Amino acid sequence: MSHNPSQPSSSELVELHVFYVPEGSWNYKLNTISIEVINKFISAGFIRVSPQLTLQALRLRLGEFLGEDAVAEKFLFLKCIGNNLAVVKEKQEPELKLRSFAPPYVCNVILNC
């Protein structure tokens, strides 16, 4: 059995939780969501990915993980800032790796809006 070094083994993958955000959860003025409403999010399931992938690379491959019906542009990456979840800016996506969105950083999430 040969091991492809560019493909991490399953023990090296991290599980990321993907959520749907119900209408009315956003603070549109600040483009944030209060962490107090996290319990209203609806789980879309988990995806297993390399922690070395960038957010941009994941966005390009979302269809592989979530099905071809997934529209990558509808997904937002959120980062915990104080008592809010703020949208990661598109220009930051090539720089941020998924390891910062995996446990123990459970406050950072991937959302389908």
Side-chain angles (χ1 to χ4, degrees), residues 2-104:
S2 66
H3 177 69
N4 182 347
S6 66
Q7 294 275 350
S9 69
S10 69
S11 65
E12 296 170 312
L13 298 176
V14 294
E15 288 188 343
L16 298 179
H17 205 165
V18 179
F19 295 94
Y20 292 102
V21 179
E23 291 288 328
S25 300
W26 284 99
N27 177 336
Y28 289 102
K29 183 177 178 183
L30 300 175
N31 205 19
T32 61
I33 299 174
S34 170
I35 60 172
E36 294 173 3
V37 298
I38 287 177
N39 61 347
K40 294 179 183 175
F41 293 176
I42 301 163
S43 177
F46 290 87
I47 57 174
R48 297 186 76 198
V49 293
S50 167
Q52 299 306 317
L53 272 180
T54 63
L55 297 181
Q56 181 181 52
L58 176 60
R59 182 175 298 285
L60 295 173
R61 296 180 56 198
L62 276 174
E64 291 176 41
F65 297 108
L66 301 172
E68 295 304 319
D69 293 338
V71 179
E73 292 77 30
K74 285 191 169 193
F75 284 82
L76 298 173
F77 299 106
L78 300 179
K79 197 135 176 89
C80 193
I81 299 178
N83 291 328
N84 294 300
L85 294 169
V87 176
V88 173
K89 293 181 174 131
E90 188 177 341
K91 66 182 181 179
Q92 295 173 305
E93 289 185 17
E95 302 163 10
L96 294 173
K97 298 207 180 218
L98 293 179
R99 67 176 169 249
S100 63
F101 287 76

